[in-house]
Amino acid sequence: MKYKVRIEPIGVEVSCDGNQTILDACLRNGVWVPHACTHGTCATCKSRIIEGEVDFGLASNFALMDFEREEGYVLLCTAKPRTNLVIEADVEVEEGIEFYPVKDFTGKVVEILDCARDTRKIQIEIENDKIFYLAGQYIQLYIPGTEQNRAYSIASRPLKDGNSTIELHIKRVPGGLGSGYVFEELKEGDKVRFAGPFGRFIFRKNFDNPILFLAGGTGLAPIKAMILDAISNGLKQEMYLFHGVRSTRDLYDKDVFEEIERENPNFHYIPALSEKLPEDEWDGELGFVHEVLERKFQKFSGFKAYISGPPPMVDACIKVLMRGRLFAEDIYTEKFFTEKDRIEGGSKVGIISRI
Ligand code: FES
């Protein structure tokens, strides 16, 4: 059964199926309400019901307390309508940025490449369709045989006429549902289903000052899309990519960024190893991304920074940036949480966050 959901204060009405979450209905209709984990644990999508009844779904007690339920709050990513609704949501509008509606896609895996230790690049060719997205956004890949999906950032450059192929970077995580599927089952030629685009970790092109891209491990994926987008749009300011991995076994796409650096004097590629092995032939930077960053720069005022990687790496980089006078409005982050983080993280769990 379909219900009408009116979103205030913008007064837009969307249709929502009784089996569909309110968040899903909003995103598919181009209404960009805040969201992060999309699984009822981070509370980013908490909103108030002004009129009507909902099924709260699997909202965690950390993210939505009992007294909040009594006061009419719901998590839009888990709540499903039981009547027509009026909700009050913090709809996000950003000058000059238009988000694309979320859609479902099917595709074929056309290439699987083991590009580093326990790291795969997957190329998916979309069937009879194209995906429109902004550099930095992610998709939700459905895991066959389960009711679940997993979020993976798109590493390909977004094309003006839409992309018929997308690249994902996937790291094997012990016990991880998504990476278990990708490493143990998925083969070239297999069909996959996914939905997207999601997320607000997006590249802002209308900016002339220096840009820092800080990536840890496969946190490189959305950053790669941003850099390719920046270069293809002819951005001329200084851009610095710091990519942190443990050893050379974990480093990938070095050739891609070295070539960009050769062809674009304003782009600087700074890979760094935090656990160099005796056999590593390496005369580059050593240490964690935040340590290398602090050795290269002391002041960051006027910059914008995009940080993507495991939560401790992101937090350490934010501290260094803030010490160097760069503050929240110019720092964009995406935290890559593992399965273990999801289980242990309680209200902290999320995929995308904006500080
Ligand atoms: S709780 Fe809804 S997006 Fe995280």
Side-chain angles (χ1 to χ4, degrees):
M1 173 151 184
K2 291 216 178 287
Y3 298 99
K4 289 179 193 160
V5 179
R6 195 168 84 236
I7 298 110
E8 298 293 1
I10 57 170
V12 171
E13 192 170 281
V14 300
S15 169
C16 185
D17 195 86
N19 290 322
Q20 186 181 20
T21 66
I22 301 168
L23 176 68
D24 193 65
C26 288
L27 296 182
R28 283 173 194 275
N29 284 281
V31 179
W32 205 257
V33 287
H35 61 282
C37 72
T38 69
H39 294 294
T41 48
C42 73
T44 307
C45 64
K46 193 182 296 176
S47 302
R48 199 163 69 86
I49 301 289
I50 300 172
E51 266 177 49
E53 302 286 327
V54 296
D55 171 350
F56 286 93
L58 295 174
S60 103
N61 288 335
F62 296 106
L64 190 68
M65 312 257 189
D66 286 345
F67 77 89
E68 292 176 304
R69 293 172 199 238
E70 282 161 23
E71 287 175 5
Y73 286 92
V74 297
L75 299 181
L76 298 181
C77 68
T78 61
K80 295 171 183 169
R82 289 295 164 260
T83 64
N84 291 336
L85 298 173
V86 180
I87 66 169
E88 186 180 60
D90 189 11
V91 179
E92 301 187 14
V93 180
E94 194 172 324
E95 190 82 18
I97 294 190
E98 238 179 87
F99 288 95
Y100 296 102
V102 169
K103 283 175 60 181
D104 289 315
F105 298 92
T106 54
K108 186 166 84 169
V109 176
V110 288
E111 187 178 85
I112 298 179
L113 182 71
D114 288 306
C115 56
R117 179 175 54 159
D118 288 335
T119 307
R120 285 194 159 170
K121 268 193 210 174
I122 312 284
Q123 303 282 347
I124 298 173
E125 197 175 85
I126 299 170
E127 282 184 345
N128 308 319
D129 207 347
K130 288 184 174 180
I131 182 168
F132 288 83
Y133 61 95
L134 301 171
Q137 288 193 293
Y138 68 95
I139 58 143
Q140 296 272 11
L141 183 69
Y142 294 105
I143 310 300
T146 75
E147 299 276 288
Q148 300 193 50
N149 46 48
R150 287 292 178 264
Y152 295 108
S153 297
I154 306 172
S156 322
R157 170 168 77 89
L159 304 175
K160 197 159 69 52
D161 298 325
N163 291 52
S164 50
T165 304
I166 55 167
E167 175 182 303
L168 309 178
H169 300 172
I170 301 178
K171 175 88 181 163
R172 189 200 292 267
V173 178
L177 179 72
S179 72
Y181 161 62
V182 167
F183 280 82
E184 312 303 336
E185 294 175 39
L186 195 67
K187 305 180 301 301
E188 288 177 0
D190 281 359
K191 290 263 168 69
V192 290
R193 290 195 308 121
F194 65 91
F198 295 93
R200 268 183 63 81
F201 182 63
I202 53 164
F203 184 53
R204 276 86 177 160
K205 285 178 234 172
N206 52 353
F207 180 71
D208 297 324
N209 286 353
I211 303 174
L212 295 167
F213 296 104
L214 311 175
T218 50
L220 184 65
I223 295 285
K224 181 178 177 182
M226 291 181 181
I227 291 170
L228 296 176
D229 198 30
I231 296 295
S232 71
N233 278 283
L235 266 59
K236 289 286 175 261
Q237 67 264 60
E238 299 298 306
M239 292 184 269
Y240 302 85
L241 166 62
F242 292 76
H243 185 204
V245 292
R246 287 188 174 158
S247 69
T248 55
R249 293 185 299 175
D250 305 298
L251 191 61
Y252 67 97
D253 274 349
K254 187 165 176 278
D255 51 340
V256 172
F257 294 110
E258 283 177 344
E259 190 180 337
I260 295 175
E261 188 174 44
R262 267 195 304 277
E263 292 176 358
N264 299 274
N266 59 324
F267 177 76
H268 312 280
Y269 173 51
I270 305 148
L273 306 186
S274 60
E275 293 175 20
K276 178 177 169 290
L277 299 171
E279 63 269 29
D280 280 337
E281 288 179 19
W282 186 256
D283 58 2
E285 293 293 338
L286 294 173
F288 292 106
V289 169
H290 69 279
E291 296 169 333
V292 180
L293 176 66
E294 201 160 30
R295 285 204 294 270
K296 296 266 177 203
F297 295 95
Q298 281 73 49
K299 285 274 171 286
F300 303 102
S301 13
F303 284 50
K304 273 199 194 299
Y306 296 86
I307 319 172
S308 168
M313 172 257 165
V314 172
D315 293 340
C317 289
I318 291 171
K319 278 197 192 119
V320 169
L321 293 171
M322 288 194 161
R323 268 206 297 275
R325 315 293 301 160
L326 191 68
F327 298 111
E329 61 273 21
D330 290 313
I331 303 176
Y332 304 92
T333 68
E334 180 166 38
K335 293 180 177 177
F336 278 45
F337 286 88
T338 65
E339 198 78 4
K340 194 160 160 272
D341 296 322
R342 277 177 192 280
I343 294 161
E344 294 174 355
S347 60
K348 188 169 149 283
V349 172
I351 297 166
I352 306 292
S353 70
R354 173 84 172 83
I355 63 165

